[in-house]
Amino acid sequence: MSQFGHVSAVNLRGQNNLNNLWSPQSWRCCYLDGKINTLSFASSDAMGRKLKSPSVRAFMTGSRKDVSPLKVVCIDYPRPDIDSTVNYLEAAYLSSSFRNSPRPNKPLKIVIAGAGLAGLSTAKYLADAGHKPILLEGRDVLGGKVAAWKDDDGDWYETGLHIFFGAYPNVQNLFGELGINDRLQWKEHSMIFAMPSKPGEFSRFDFPEVLPAPLNGIWAILKNSEMLTWPEKVKFAIGLLPAIIGGQSYVEAQDGITVKDWMRKQGIPDRVTDEVFIAMSKALNFINPDELSMQCILIALNRFLQEKHGSKMAFLDGNPPERLCMPIVDHITSQGGEVRLNSRIQKIELNKDGSVKNFVLNNGNTVEGDAYVFATPVDILKLLLPEDWKEIQYFRKLDKLVGVPVINVHIWFDRKLKNTYDHLLFSRSSLLSVYADMSVTCKEYYDPNKSMLELVFAPAEEWISCSDTEIIDATMKELAKLFPNEIAADGTKAKIVKYHVVKTPRSVYKTVPGSEPCRPLQRSPIEGFYLAGDYTKQKYLASMEGAVLSGKLCAQAIVQDYELLAAREPKKLAEASLV
């Protein structure tokens, strides 16, 4: 199959033709030029004549005299070959262990709090192992940190701008197990950074398909001459040598030092931090390099450099609750599990021996099970932690783990913005982290006439209490630098049609130095009580991959404890008869 698919052109005349929107073959390649709004699909019989496709570089630059200035490119790429990587195979083996485990004589009823990716993952794999999860979600929407809502116009707005990497083996396995691989829209293998010193311009790191890892990453860095000088590249490479030679043990030992301090310790110029790692730090954990643990950066670099497609990115083809979470729910319920929305937990009620008796809901109802899982953010767990548990070292260490505030901004404009790409973009702004024109990158949000920018506002600690108007005003000032010819801070150019601001006062845990020893294992010291969440112990830190893996590890611990947990019910009945 051609890398770019077939190219078809049609003058939409202002109409949004979305026939066959969800067809796997219907979204291959589209572009916009200065004259007409042009949507291009593959395998669309009624979409017009076929055109000869210009080179990728012609798409990118649009500077050739014989080609109209092409400002926005939309190309979905084939799913990369990640199924044979070691990490993918390890994740696949862990998934298969649940399906292949002996069927329990008496399935356990496991009550799980929180229907984010960690809770959904826990429930999914417990159901695969033959048990009966009851998943409780306090809100009326699935997804936790990937939740989204539909406004009165039918447009979606999300908790965050979510990117699915090739280096997410458990997430990629999950998509495959659910049969929804076609819902990921893979983009070209590049990282694209805005150039603050040259408003409106971008600098790219392009990973060549023909080279294996880590050569493709090294080539991408060497070929970029706009962000780092050759002396800076050499010093950065030398500084990284201990991490390359020392491997995982070295990486784990860097938890106690910030990115900024580590760079200086290794003799790497501050400009490397300013040019690359401010953007990377904010993208990974919504904080700056003077706060972020270097372990987080090294883990990401290790994944990106050791796997050929590790840094390749994909967007989900629509809103996460329907396009990702509902297939998980359907799988859980098809196996006999339950998912209940609007079931907020008010209290963890204990037995006399300190174990969990039940979860008490806000409406006064109680939910009992053979085992219990808390898959909420760590801050919610700490609020509901029983007094009798607070002095236990396992729980006391959680005080160090605190969610980081983050703001997600959505702005709909009255026109199609042209100075963008069909990709995630690193803003390198002091206020913004990453952004994307979702009207180009995502099938469900596609609009041929108007742009919708989704932006991550970070660090957000000083802004989380500000009004939406203040946040939008600040965002527009930054966008005026990214789109100098199209957006003005005073609104005299592209006009805002509407906006949504989603504030998350406590998002993923703040990966600061010294936090790694405080991350708990999924099996707690309380018999029958378990934890899941990206803050728990797993190697992918605060990420969607970390959340999914934590759920699998939590389910694994429960399956391993089956005999113990199954014996608890007769024991409880015997004790009750003596009272």
Side-chain angles (χ1 to χ4, degrees):
M1 183 175 63
S2 168
Q3 188 176 22
F4 304 114
H6 301 295
V7 181
S8 304
V10 60
N11 188 336
L12 295 177
R13 302 184 187 278
Q15 296 182 1
N16 189 0
N17 189 338
L18 295 182
N19 292 333
N20 302 318
L21 180 65
W22 298 116
S23 169
Q25 297 301 320
S26 69
W27 183 271
R28 279 284 190 277
C29 173
C30 75
Y31 61 87
L32 296 166
D33 63 29
K35 296 180 180 179
I36 60 172
N37 289 322
T38 308
L39 169 65
S40 304
F41 288 85
S43 304
S44 297
D45 296 335
M47 293 301 289
R49 63 188 176 90
K50 298 228 178 137
L51 300 177
K52 183 178 180 181
S53 174
S55 68
V56 176
R57 191 52 55 193
F59 274 106
M60 295 308 170
T61 63
S63 60
R64 287 171 46 185
K65 294 181 180 179
D66 59 335
V67 180
S68 298
L70 300 176
K71 298 297 185 181
V72 180
V73 177
C74 177
I75 300 175
D76 279 348
Y77 288 73
R79 184 174 182 271
D81 180 19
I82 56 178
D83 296 7
S84 59
T85 64
V86 172
N87 286 325
Y88 184 92
L89 293 173
E90 287 180 353
Y93 178 77
L94 180 54
S95 293
S96 69
S97 70
F98 297 103
R99 299 189 299 270
N100 298 331
S101 65
R103 298 298 89 178
N105 294 326
K106 179 182 179 298
L108 299 174
K109 184 169 73 172
I110 301 104
V111 184
I112 305 167
L117 289 181
L120 288 165
S121 172
T122 305
K124 189 265 186 195
Y125 291 106
L126 284 171
D128 284 350
H131 298 291
K132 304 300 179 186
I134 300 175
L135 186 55
L136 308 175
E137 169 55 46
R139 300 188 292 183
D140 61 356
V141 61
L142 298 165
K145 299 186 190 79
V146 301
W149 300 265
K150 185 183 286 188
D151 67 15
D152 292 339
D153 300 319
D155 294 317
W156 288 88
Y157 54 102
E158 304 182 12
T159 307
L161 180 51
H162 307 293
I163 299 298
F164 297 81
F165 286 98
Y168 280 3
N170 290 282
V171 168
Q172 298 301 336
N173 267 277
L174 179 61
F175 272 80
E177 292 159 23
L178 297 170
I180 57 172
N181 275 332
D182 60 338
R183 297 188 183 186
L184 287 178
Q185 293 182 249
W186 290 95
K187 307 306 178 183
E188 62 180 323
H189 199 170
S190 302
M191 290 188 173
I192 306 173
F193 292 76
M195 297 290 287
S197 60
K198 300 177 182 178
E201 296 188 21
F202 297 89
S203 182
R204 303 168 58 94
F205 292 87
D206 295 314
F207 295 72
E209 181 67 25
V210 295
L211 294 178
L215 295 179
N216 62 342
I218 294 171
W219 180 267
I221 294 170
L222 293 179
K223 286 289 288 183
N224 183 293
S225 59
E226 296 159 313
M227 290 178 64
L228 299 178
T229 65
W230 272 99
E232 288 168 342
K233 292 175 185 177
V234 171
K235 289 181 179 179
F236 178 47
I238 294 173
L240 276 179
L241 282 177
I244 296 171
I245 297 171
Q248 187 64 27
S249 60
Y250 178 88
V251 170
E252 292 175 358
Q254 306 315 301
D255 171 60
I257 187 170
T258 67
V259 175
K260 189 172 184 178
D261 289 343
W262 185 90
M263 294 287 182
R264 288 178 173 175
K265 176 185 172 185
Q266 299 302 113
I268 299 172
D270 283 349
R271 216 181 76 84
V272 175
T273 303
D274 296 339
E275 290 293 298
V276 178
F277 288 99
I278 289 179
M280 194 169 179
S281 297
K282 295 204 296 183
L284 287 171
N285 200 237
F286 312 124
I287 57 178
N288 281 316
D290 59 350
E291 288 189 278
L292 184 66
S293 166
M294 188 62 196
Q295 183 195 37
C296 183
I297 292 286
L298 291 176
I299 286 175
L301 287 176
N302 181 52
R303 297 283 176 260
F304 291 167
L305 291 176
Q306 295 303 319
E307 297 181 25
K308 179 177 178 177
H309 302 292
S311 57
K312 194 172 179 66
M313 305 179 207
F315 284 72
L316 191 62
D317 66 1
N319 71 87
E322 292 181 350
R323 301 299 289 169
L324 172 56
C325 299
M326 272 309 301
I328 306 176
V329 169
D330 291 342
H331 180 87
I332 293 167
T333 55
S334 72
Q335 303 296 313
E338 298 178 43
V339 180
R340 306 176 188 174
L341 300 180
N342 298 306
S343 300
R344 189 175 300 277
I345 293 175
Q346 183 183 68
K347 180 184 178 183
I348 303 172
E349 191 168 8
L350 304 183
N351 293 305
K352 290 182 179 180
D353 63 358
S355 63
V356 179
K357 180 179 182 181
N358 55 50
F359 285 167
V360 182
L361 305 184
N362 271 4
N363 61 9
N365 292 338
T366 61
V367 185
E368 295 185 0
D370 300 306
Y372 299 84
V373 177
F374 238 72
T376 69
V378 64
D379 299 280
I380 294 177
L381 169 63
K382 289 190 289 186
L383 286 174
L384 293 173
L385 205 62
E387 286 294 327
D388 292 353
W389 292 359
K390 288 184 177 179
E391 292 307 310
I392 299 173
Q393 180 68 4
Y394 174 90
F395 295 110
R396 197 166 62 215
K397 291 192 298 183
L398 299 179
D399 290 341
K400 176 77 174 179
L401 304 178
V402 179
V404 62
V406 66
I407 300 171
N408 209 46
V409 178
H410 310 70
I411 305 178
W412 283 260
F413 290 94
D414 66 347
R415 65 196 69 181
K416 199 72 176 176
L417 301 173
K418 298 174 182 177
N419 191 36
T420 186
Y421 290 87
D422 174 25
H423 215 300
L424 181 76
L425 302 173
F426 294 82
S427 74
R428 299 177 70 207
S429 151
S430 59
L431 293 181
L432 305 177
S433 172
V434 292
Y435 68 99
D437 186 344
M438 300 298 282
S439 71
V440 174
T441 61
C442 175
K443 285 182 188 178
E444 185 176 14
Y445 304 161
Y446 176 76
D447 189 327
N449 302 310
K450 298 175 183 178
S451 284
M452 188 276 271
L453 295 185
E454 185 171 347
L455 313 103
V456 179
F457 198 103
E461 192 163 0
E462 295 179 4
W463 290 87
I464 200 74
S465 61
C466 293
S467 69
D468 290 357
T469 301
E470 290 173 311
I471 291 168
I472 291 296
D473 288 344
T475 300
M476 287 296 287
K477 290 177 182 177
E478 296 302 308
L479 289 179
K481 303 171 188 175
L482 297 168
F483 299 84
N485 298 322
E486 301 178 89
I487 295 177
D490 60 5
T492 54
K493 295 179 181 178
K495 301 292 191 297
I496 296 178
V497 175
K498 66 177 179 181
Y499 62 79
H500 287 292
V501 175
V502 180
K503 298 178 180 178
T504 306
R506 291 288 180 264
S507 182
V508 297
Y509 78 96
K510 199 171 184 178
T511 314
V512 295
S515 60
E516 185 63 24
C518 301
R519 298 174 67 202
L521 295 171
Q522 287 73 30
R523 182 188 285 110
S524 86
I526 305 299
E527 186 177 291
F529 185 76
Y530 303 81
L531 299 180
D534 58 19
Y535 70 92
T536 63
K537 199 75 170 177
Q538 41 74 28
K539 60 184 179 181
Y540 289 93
L541 302 183
S543 65
M544 291 187 291
E545 171 69 11
V548 171
L549 176 55
S550 77
K552 292 175 82 169
L553 295 175
C554 180
Q556 182 185 50
I558 293 172
V559 171
Q560 290 171 346
D561 293 348
Y562 170 70
E563 298 296 338
L564 174 67
L565 296 171
R568 292 180 72 231
E569 184 62 25
K571 179 181 176 182
K572 284 192 292 184
L573 291 173
E575 290 175 349
S577 66
L578 296 175
V579 176

